[in-house]
Every structure is written in structure tokens, then in C-alpha cells.
Amino acid sequence: MAHCYINGVGCVSTQDTSDYKIFLETQHELTENIVRVHKPNYRDFIKPAMIRRMANGVKNGVVASAIALKEANIKMPEAIITGTGMGCTIDSGKFLKNIIDNKEQFLTPTAFIQSTHNTVGGQIALGLQCKAYNVTYVHKATSFEASLVDALLMINDNETNILVGGVDEIGDYSVRLHQLIGLVKNQETLSNGLLQSNSKGVVYGEGAQFFALENQKKETTYAELIDVEIYDNIDESEIHNKLLQFLKTNGLAIADVDLVVLGNNGDVKFDFIYNNLQDNLLKSTQQIYYKHLSGEYHTASSFGLWIAAQICKIQEIPKFLKLNNKEVATIKNVLLYNQYLGENHSFTLLRSC
Amino acid sequence: MSKGVAVTGMGIISSIGNNVEENYQSLISKKQGISKIKKIQTIHKNVIKVGEINYTNEALIELLKLSDSNNYSRTAMLGEIAAKEAVKNANITDINKYKTGLISATSVGGMDMTERYFYSQFEETKNRKYIASHDAGDSSKKIAKSLGITDFVSTISTACSSSANAIMLGARLIRAGKIDRVIVGGSDCLSKFTINGFKTLMILSETDCKPFDANRTGLNLGEAAAFLVLESDEVVKKENKKVLAYVSGYANANDAYHQTASSENGEGATLAMQKALKVAKINPKAIDYVNAHGTATPNNDQSESRALINVFGTKVPDFSSTKAYTGHTLAAAAAIEAVYAILAIQHKVIFPNLNFETPIAETALVPKTEVTKKEIQHVLSNSFGFGGNCSTLIFSKA
Amino acid sequence: MENLKQELKAKIIENLNLEDFKVEDIEDNDPLFGDGLGLDSIDALELIVMLDKDYGIKISDPKKGKEIFESIQTMAQFIMDNKTK
């Protein structure tokens, strides 16, 4: 088996994540129910001729990917793999609205062209003039994890470096629809913090996180990506066993896990799935969460991986992430578990180097 | 040495047939499925030509025995029909006897319902059920649930090459031993969104499309779904399975030239074909038939012709585009053409490129225009999409 | 004609999202595509819809756009010669 190392990371999120140190100083728990990204200076990263057609998600993806590649000093990746749950929802909403409002007349192509799910991957390739493998996964809350599965296959197939990321953007039309069916929290319920909100729905966020993966360890290495497994629609009762099985496949038992990164999003209808693990199987394991900082979106787990990678490297867990008081001296094996709406379960295993 | 990844079942629904057999009969009797829009409520009804599937949504609901409260998009319904045929064709009775996954592909997802209830869902609660089935992953989730697949389920969207990448990932997962069996393919229904979108690009033909013809004026859109069952050698052996064909080569490259257009020299397409041949470990000369992407847009066919010459030199194999039968079915295109490639191998026949008259002057390539009997060992199938995505699959005789 | 040219410059900047340009930056004879304003084939399609919507001129062959949209001058002349509204 080849090894797969995270050698560069790029994060555009609802926090200032341009630098991990800045993030540690400026981070704040989100108090609004719909939260957009802390905007980077896009023009530092994207040529004016390209930027004029890009919606926010595309810009964020291009910026995050550029940062990750630069850190790992990769000029030309051998694959670009993107995950996005809702795709380019700003432009698809825009084109759709034009169709309806103008009764299918006088329509122009730009929004349609930019609305395809693979726009982010395509624009990254175009910007880099990268002719390599390029795929976009669009499967709900495992869009990013499927991208990781693909990346691991690639590394095992002798590719040396892969650019992989998760990106989702807030589109006005789609967020209004999601509010209609109760997927977004009422803002009033957030005054005591996300996990105390005791309400249905989530804090609706957006972001773009990209990772430069390589088969060689180097100075910039954050952690080794060991394995990723997806369980799309299993019963809650099976999660316990699936988790143990996932660890076993990788030669580990629960006691070997030094840190678990959980996707709790404060949705009173589904957080019990996390809580059951926290109170039982993972009772003695150090637990953290992050969606009070990132908000929830289909690829929010890529923000979780960004956090986990930073922790592996620095070996310190910030207080504001902690779900319990367990502590270990060195953080070696890190398990990430995520699900959304009781579906799209995923396990990701990292190891400090 | 393995011949590749075994295909043990297939299913399809398109404008030329509701199952594999009907599609085959249409292909060999040159019966195309292009006609003016009948079912979609659009100002282009009775004007623009498309490959529409005969069933209404109501008929599909009945066929699948869905409840009144279902929130299936047409994409999900078409997908479920094709996927069920594939599983049945593979004689699978206990889906979870082996570690089984599903990888589907779509570009529109549930857009057909979202556009229908764009404003009304704010006022009327009954139409809100479709909000949760808008996203691209929803159709895959429904198909997986209907088949009893619970673990690895994913969806790929790379515009018009989507399902080629789904087939490719499936084959790679099996080769890597990560999974024993995987249902792979794609589904896309027609929608106002795509019809109007392609219209703004001014690449819709007003007449029946003419792939590779010098006087081609653009593409016809279509709707379809198709799935293949891929199984590992171990499963094939244990279950004594009949193998329909092997997925022996696959590749994906990016043209990195333009957001929607293909480069004039077909660089991305050339790379994809060359890489796929390398994966299959075969010589270009071994290819007996190319099922081309051949959308009949001026840009694609010119670029693809150039790419074919780049790869095969003066000896371009027998080739045809089947888009004149079905229309361009977007994310489903590579999957339905995978079924056609396997049918070509099984029945030893090349399906004709309809409506072709005059070769493109600069490349002078002439596709097969008649049903042609021929022993076929290897078929190469191309699919290209927006965002520069170029994918090639190679299917080989069992 | 002069008014029309100014109008076209403003519309092009607005419709094509050319944030770095102002009306006075565009000369009547500057090439719109390639080296000049840097427009491409997608912009040509946008401009074809603009001709239809604002001036009642229908163009069915996108290739024709190349000559018409050579510069503000050629575009204005074409509109003067062909407009129906």
C-alpha cells in the first residue's frame, strides 16, 4: 500500500482561516442562522478575465486550491477531485429564475455554463492548464468523502500528487427553499450556542477546503490520510459496529483512537446519533466538534478535516472545539465521523506523522 | 492476468426503447427516437426536436408502484427502471451477499420538479416535497434504496461525460479490491433548464442531428438512463456468472481549453483515448469499433475527428455516433453508449451513424452508415463534457 | 449614432461584468475580442441576445457575431442598419 500524506491545505470558511494562527485568535461561534464566508482577496488569486463570470463558490474553490497547492509546492497536480453537495447553486438558481421570469425568452448562456456541478474543478484545471484526471462528486454529505476515496485509489495506483477538495456555496433561492422545509434553524434559538439550541435544522454555512495529497512525506506534511469509508443509508443501530469494523480493517481498536472529530450540527432531530456514540462507544475518547464555527453544508466535513490536519501537526487541541475533558499526551490516530440528516455516514482516519 | 472488470448485467431506457432488447431492435432497424417535444410544458413544445421517452411521469409512477406521496424526479424514476433491469439481468437475488455499491451520474438531478414548482412551492405546501429531491445525489439515494444497497453510494457530475466516470470509478474500486460488486451508470431526464441552456449556447439543431456531417447544425437533446453491473473475478467464479463483456480500459483527461468548447486539436480527447488504451494494454490497431461522442455540434465533431486521427493516424477504426438515435442524453450518454458497445460485441454488429451525408472537409472521416456485421473484440467509447472533461472507456469481448 | 455607441459601451460593461473597465476606457475602434477588451465566444452569445432583446435583431448563426462585434463602431453601424425597435 502506498502512503498518502496531506502536504498542503487551503481553507476559505465562515471564519478567517487564511492562517491557522489567525483562526485560533479570531474564531467565534456563529450566532446567525445563515452564514457566508469570510471573503479572501480574490484578485490576489484569480485573473480578472476569469473572475468576472465566477460565482462565490467557484471563487472560493479556486482560492482554497491555490493555497493548498502553493503550500505543498505543487505546480501541476496529477488529478483534481472536487466534492460539492449542491453544486453551483447560485448560477443554477439565477438561470432558472431567468427561465421562469422571462418565460424562456432572451436567455443568455453565462449562468447556464457556470451552473454545471463541475465548474469548480473545470475552472481550477483551466487556470492551471491542467490536463489531468478531473472528477466531481455530488453525493450529498459524502461528496467530499467520495473525493477522498477516489484520491486514495489514485495514490495507490502510483499517482504522486492529487488536489482534492470540498466546496459548497449559499444560493439565495435554494436557502429559501431549505428554510421552507425546516432545514435551517430559527436564529432566536442560537443565543445559547449551537449544541444548546434545542431546535430543528442547522446553521446554514458555506466554504471551500482543498488539500494537496502526495505519496511522499515532506516538511509541510500535516498528517497521513489512512482510510475513508462511506455508509450511505444504514440504520442508526449499525453505526456502532460499522465504526468498529472500520477501525479493525485498519488494525485499530477504540482504545487506539486518540481523538474523534464529530460532525454535531445542533439539529435536535439527528444529533442523537452523535450523542449515542459520545456516551457509549467513544466515552473514553477525546471528542471535538467544529460546525459551530463552520456552519453546516454538504461538504462541511472538509472543514473538519482541515481542523484535524492542523491538530495532527501542532499536537494541541483548542478549548473551543472540545466536547469532553478527556486528554491524551500525543495525538496519533484521529477518527472523523460525519452524517447529515441521519444519512450519508462517513469515517475518515488520519495519523500524525 | 485479468481481462478487466466483468460486466454481468445491463439495463437501459431511452427514446428508442424501454429495455435492452427494445434498444437493440431499434438500433439494427435504424429506428431513431427523435421527435418534437410533446411532454414538457415549455414554449418550445412542438418546435424543438428531442429524444423523449414515451412514458409520462404518471405512467412511470405506476410502473414503479410508487406511493402518491413520493417525491421522485423523472431522473430518479428513469434511473430506477434501468438499474432494476441491470440487476435482474445479472441474476442477482441477494444484493448484499457481496459488498455492493452504487455509483450513478446525473447533471439535472431533480431540476424537472424544481422548475415546475419554482414559485408555487412557496405558497402550496404539497409541492414542497420536491425540495428535498432537487440535489444530484437524491436520485442515486432512491435507486440504492430500491435495490437494497446501503453502503458505498455516490454520484458523479462532470456534465456530458458523467456516467463514463461512474463506470470508471466502479471498475477501479473493484480492481483495488475495495468492493466486490457495483452498479454503475447514469440518468438524466429532459428539463426546461437544459433545453433552454443548450439553446442559449446556440448548439441545438432544428432538424434531426447529423453527427460527423460537414453540414451538421448542432445536437438534439435526449433523456435516458442506463446501468451496468460490474463484478469481481471472485464473484464471477463463485456464482458461475455469465460475463457479457469486460471493462478493460478507462481514462479521464481534461482539455483545459475553454469552459464549454473543445479545443480544435482535440487534445483532451486524444489524451483520454491514449490513456485508456494504455490501461487496457492494447494497441490502437486492436480497436474494432469506436462509439464516438459525436454530438453533431460543429465544434465537437471537428475536435473529436482530429483526436481520432491523432490516436489512430490514417487507420481510424470503423466508427459511428449513436446520438442521432437517442439525442444527447447528457450524464446518461456514456452509460447508454456502454450498453450499445456491449451489444455490438455480443451481436457482432456495428450500429450506423444516421443522417450522415458529407464528410467534414479537413478530416474526411466517414462513419459507418449501415448496420455492419463484424467480429468485434474491443470497442472504444468516448464521452466529453463541459469543463473540459474527456473520458474514454474500452469494452472487450468476454 | 454617438449616443448609441455610448449606450453600447455601458451595456457591454454591465452585461459582461467587466468590472475593470469604464465607458471612457473603450475607444470606438478598439477590438472587443482577443487583445482588446478580451471578450470570448461566450460573450459573443451574450451580445447576440442583447441585439435581439434591445434592438429586435435576430442572428441565427453565431459565427456571424465575429464581424458584427469587431468593435463598438461596427456594432453600432450594424444596429443602425438592422434594428427593428
Side-chain angles (χ1 to χ4, degrees):
Chain A
M1 281 289 272
H3 293 274
C4 178
Y5 299 97
I6 300 176
N7 287 349
V9 300
C11 178
V12 176
S13 72
T14 53
Q15 309 280 335
D16 184 348
T17 40
S18 56
D19 182 284
Y20 188 61
K21 280 194 196 100
I22 296 175
F23 166 71
L24 290 178
E25 285 158 18
T26 61
Q27 56 72 32
H28 51 279
E29 175 149 2
L30 304 174
T31 52
E32 286 168 33
N33 58 345
I34 298 166
V35 196
R36 290 178 162 77
V37 296
H38 178 92
K39 283 191 182 177
N41 191 2
Y42 294 117
R43 282 166 182 266
D44 292 347
F45 299 90
I46 314 170
K47 288 184 210 136
M50 289 186 81
I51 210 169
R52 67 191 171 101
R53 294 194 185 116
M54 289 180 179
N56 290 338
V58 182
K59 286 191 256 189
N60 296 335
V62 172
V63 171
S65 66
I67 296 170
L69 288 176
K70 193 177 169 201
E71 185 177 28
N73 194 24
I74 295 171
K75 300 262 174 334
M76 196 60 80
E78 287 168 4
I80 299 173
I81 309 173
T82 313
T84 176
M86 295 300 289
C88 297
T89 169
I90 294 175
D91 275 313
S92 67
K94 193 167 154 189
F95 189 66
L96 194 52
K97 188 173 187 310
N98 286 340
I99 291 176
I100 309 289
D101 291 352
N102 298 323
K103 303 194 165 45
E104 300 182 68
Q105 284 171 320
F106 304 122
L107 297 170
T108 61
T110 302
F112 175 68
I113 290 168
Q114 298 289 113
S115 76
T116 49
H117 286 83
N118 59 333
T119 303
V120 177
Q123 289 290 329
I124 293 172
L126 206 52
L128 295 170
Q129 285 294 299
C130 177
K131 297 182 193 300
Y133 181 89
N134 195 312
V135 164
T136 303
Y137 291 91
V138 294
H139 195 74
K140 298 173 181 278
T142 52
S143 302
F144 175 63
E145 283 70 18
S147 306
L148 292 178
V149 167
D150 191 345
L152 282 169
L153 281 181
M154 287 250 141
I155 293 278
N156 276 318
D157 240 355
N158 299 322
E159 298 291 350
T160 60
N161 70 62
I162 315 281
L163 175 67
V164 60
V167 51
D168 270 292
E169 64 181 8
I170 294 178
D172 290 334
Y173 178 67
S174 66
V175 74
R176 277 173 62 213
L177 292 183
H178 286 173
Q179 279 181 297
L180 273 185
I181 55 169
L183 294 179
V184 184
K185 280 190 186 302
N186 279 327
Q187 190 150 319
E188 302 80 68
T189 65
L190 286 165
S191 52
N192 293 322
L194 184 72
L195 298 189
Q196 282 72 43
S197 60
N198 198 30
S199 58
K200 282 195 288 184
V202 299
V203 168
Y204 211 82
E206 61 176 5
Q209 286 75 34
F210 272 81
F211 303 85
L213 307 180
E214 290 182 282
N215 63 351
Q216 298 290 329
K217 205 168 131 180
K218 59 191 197 192
E219 223 166 83
T220 60
T221 298
Y222 285 80
E224 184 180 353
L225 177 64
I226 307 285
D227 197 8
V228 183
E229 199 73 62
I230 288 171
Y231 298 97
D232 191 63
N233 55 74
I234 53 171
D235 255 17
E236 197 259 330
S237 61
E238 289 182 72
I239 293 164
H240 180 113
N241 285 338
K242 296 286 189 191
L243 194 157
L244 290 175
Q245 193 189 316
F246 174 74
L247 291 177
K248 201 177 156 197
T249 311
N250 291 290
L252 300 176
I254 277 289
D256 301 317
V257 178
D258 303 305
L259 174 69
V260 62
V261 182
L262 296 169
N264 304 46
N265 60 17
D267 186 337
V268 78
K269 266 174 89 180
F270 299 103
D271 260 9
F272 77 93
I273 298 172
Y274 296 111
N275 299 338
N276 282 350
L277 287 176
Q278 287 173 260
D279 298 343
N280 299 294
L281 192 59
L282 302 171
K283 207 163 84 184
S284 308
T285 314
Q286 178 155 220
Q287 308 163 358
I288 62 169
Y289 77 125
Y290 55 87
K291 285 182 185 164
H292 55 311
L293 307 173
S294 66
E296 178 69 288
Y297 47 99
H298 282 96
T299 47
S301 53
S302 62
F303 183 86
L305 186 67
W306 181 79
I307 292 261
Q310 301 284 2
I311 290 172
C312 283
K313 190 173 190 171
I314 294 171
Q315 290 287 313
E316 211 174 280
I317 299 172
K319 254 199 199 117
F320 56 82
L321 298 173
K322 290 186 179 185
L323 280 167
N324 65 1
N325 296 319
K326 299 276 178 262
E327 268 177 51
V328 285
T330 45
I331 302 151
K332 193 172 175 214
N333 295 314
V334 179
L335 173 72
L336 292 91
Y337 166 64
N338 189 60
Q339 55 86 11
Y340 180 45
L341 300 174
E343 295 178 334
N344 314 125
H345 309 269
S346 66
F347 300 115
T348 302
L349 186 64
L350 281 190
R351 189 167 295 151
S352 300
C353 297
Chain B
M1 183 64 216
S2 161
K3 290 195 231 175
V5 174
V7 181
T8 58
M10 52 187 185
I12 184 171
I13 180 166
S14 77
S15 67
I16 61 167
N18 298 324
N19 52 49
V20 173
E21 180 56 26
E22 284 180 25
N23 271 268
Y24 176 65
Q25 289 305 329
S26 294
L27 287 168
I28 55 164
S29 47
K30 295 174 96 172
K31 195 179 140 218
Q32 52 103 323
I34 306 295
S35 56
K36 287 176 178 167
I37 298 172
K38 284 199 272 304
K39 292 182 190 63
I40 301 164
Q41 293 311 314
T42 160
I43 63 164
H44 308 302
K45 199 172 172 178
N46 300 319
V47 182
I48 289 180
K49 290 192 134 184
V50 294
E52 232 175 351
I53 290 169
N54 270 330
Y55 288 120
T56 59
N57 281 349
E58 291 69 31
L60 290 170
I61 288 171
E62 211 180 296
L63 209 62
L64 290 166
K65 299 188 178 69
L66 302 177
S67 72
D68 289 343
S69 61
N70 86 80
N71 70 343
Y72 271 62
S73 64
R74 190 169 168 88
T75 299
M77 292 193 280
L78 298 177
E80 193 167 315
I81 286 173
K84 280 181 168 166
E85 186 191 6
V87 169
K88 197 175 161 203
N89 182 231
N91 285 317
I92 295 169
T93 45
D94 178 6
I95 197 99
N96 289 315
K97 186 170 174 189
Y98 298 97
K99 193 175 176 190
T100 302
L102 174 89
I103 307 159
S104 186
T106 185
S107 67
V108 294
M111 190 63 87
D112 60 322
M113 294 303 174
T114 306
E115 66 190 20
R116 190 177 295 191
Y117 304 116
F118 186 79
Y119 284 122
S120 66
Q121 53 198 353
F122 286 96
E123 280 94 49
E124 292 173 55
T125 51
K126 73 171 164 49
N127 298 327
R128 288 182 194 169
K129 64 183 182 181
Y130 292 110
I131 295 172
S133 57
H134 169 82
D135 69 284
D138 186 74
S139 54
S140 317
K141 177 181 102 177
K142 287 187 162 68
I143 296 164
K145 281 192 171 170
S146 78
L147 298 174
I149 298 171
T150 55
D151 294 357
F152 190 86
V153 178
S154 200
T155 313
I156 290 177
S157 198
T158 53
C160 310
S161 63
S162 303
S163 52
N165 292 321
I167 294 169
M168 177 169 168
L169 179 72
R172 288 168 57 220
L173 283 168
I174 287 186
R175 271 200 168 164
K178 292 283 279 184
I179 208 162
D180 304 315
R181 169 159 72 195
V182 60
I183 322 296
V184 291
S187 179
D188 253 338
C189 69
L190 279 164
S191 69
K192 281 205 289 201
F193 190 88
T194 36
I195 292 167
N196 283 292
F198 278 85
K199 191 166 181 294
T200 65
L201 295 172
M202 301 184 80
I203 52 173
L204 288 183
S205 174
E206 286 172 16
T207 57
D208 291 348
C209 73
K210 303 166 82 153
F212 294 104
D213 190 280
N215 303 311
R216 65 201 181 281
T217 54
L219 56 83
N220 305 130
L221 286 170
E223 58 184 353
F227 285 88
L228 305 178
V229 177
L230 306 183
E231 292 183 302
S232 70
D233 291 342
E234 291 71 42
V235 175
V236 168
K237 215 171 151 190
K238 267 191 209 160
E239 301 286 317
N240 198 18
K241 275 288 179 68
K242 184 186 169 203
V243 178
L244 310 180
Y246 286 95
V247 181
S248 56
Y250 39 74
N252 161 317
N254 198 287
D255 210 24
Y257 169 74
H258 185 273
Q259 183 66 11
T260 57
S262 303
S263 62
E264 244 168 71
N265 59 7
E267 195 178 353
T270 303
L271 280 172
M273 285 189 267
Q274 286 170 340
K275 278 163 71 179
L277 286 163
K278 215 171 142 191
V279 171
K281 297 198 177 78
I282 56 171
N283 208 288
K285 274 189 280 189
I287 299 294
D288 302 298
Y289 167 49
V290 175
N291 184 300
H293 188 52
T295 58
T297 64
N299 175 240
N300 177 79
D301 293 6
Q302 185 277 336
S303 174
E304 189 174 8
S305 295
R306 190 64 77 76
L308 286 168
I309 292 168
N310 290 343
V311 175
F312 297 101
T314 52
K315 295 197 174 92
V316 174
D318 290 342
F319 76 100
S320 66
S321 160
T322 46
K323 296 280 193 307
Y325 281 97
T326 57
H328 185 2
T329 60
L330 306 180
I336 69 170
E337 287 159 29
V339 172
Y340 297 165
I342 294 165
L343 284 172
I345 293 171
Q346 288 182 312
H347 295 276
K348 301 175 184 162
V349 64
I350 291 173
F351 307 118
N353 188 108
L354 304 178
N355 309 329
F356 174 86
E357 286 161 351
T358 318
I360 299 168
E362 55 161 320
T363 50
L365 294 182
V366 179
K368 283 282 159 193
T369 56
E370 293 300 331
V371 178
T372 310
K373 280 282 182 185
K374 181 183 179 181
E375 190 71 38
I376 297 174
Q377 203 71 36
H378 304 286
V379 182
L380 181 148
S381 179
N382 282 333
S383 296
F384 314 134
F386 283 4
N389 276 282
C390 300
S391 293
T392 298
L393 299 171
I394 297 174
F395 296 93
S396 300
K397 197 175 168 181
Chain C
M1 182 92 165
E2 219 32 60
N3 286 346
L4 174 63
K5 287 186 204 164
Q6 291 304 308
E7 181 183 304
L8 286 175
K9 289 176 189 174
K11 276 185 185 171
I12 286 175
I13 291 169
E14 160 90 26
N15 290 356
L16 305 182
N17 212 3
L18 301 171
E19 284 171 7
D20 293 336
F21 286 91
K22 292 194 197 69
V23 169
E24 49 276 24
D25 296 338
I26 308 174
E27 297 290 338
D28 293 355
N29 289 312
D30 279 355
L32 296 179
F33 288 76
D35 290 341
L37 236 52
L39 303 189
D40 63 15
S41 59
I42 298 170
D43 298 307
L45 295 171
E46 292 276 335
L47 295 179
I48 286 172
V49 178
M50 189 180 98
L51 289 189
D52 186 9
K53 193 176 173 187
D54 296 351
Y55 307 101
I57 304 171
K58 287 205 188 298
I59 294 170
S60 54
D61 181 3
K63 275 190 224 133
K64 289 219 175 95
K66 262 207 169 128
E67 301 144 39
I68 303 166
F69 306 132
E70 206 180 300
S71 66
I72 292 289
Q73 182 65 37
T74 57
M75 212 176 151
Q77 193 59 52
F78 181 81
I79 292 171
M80 292 299 279
D81 296 345
N82 295 282
K83 70 175 173 184
T84 62
K85 66 179 178 191

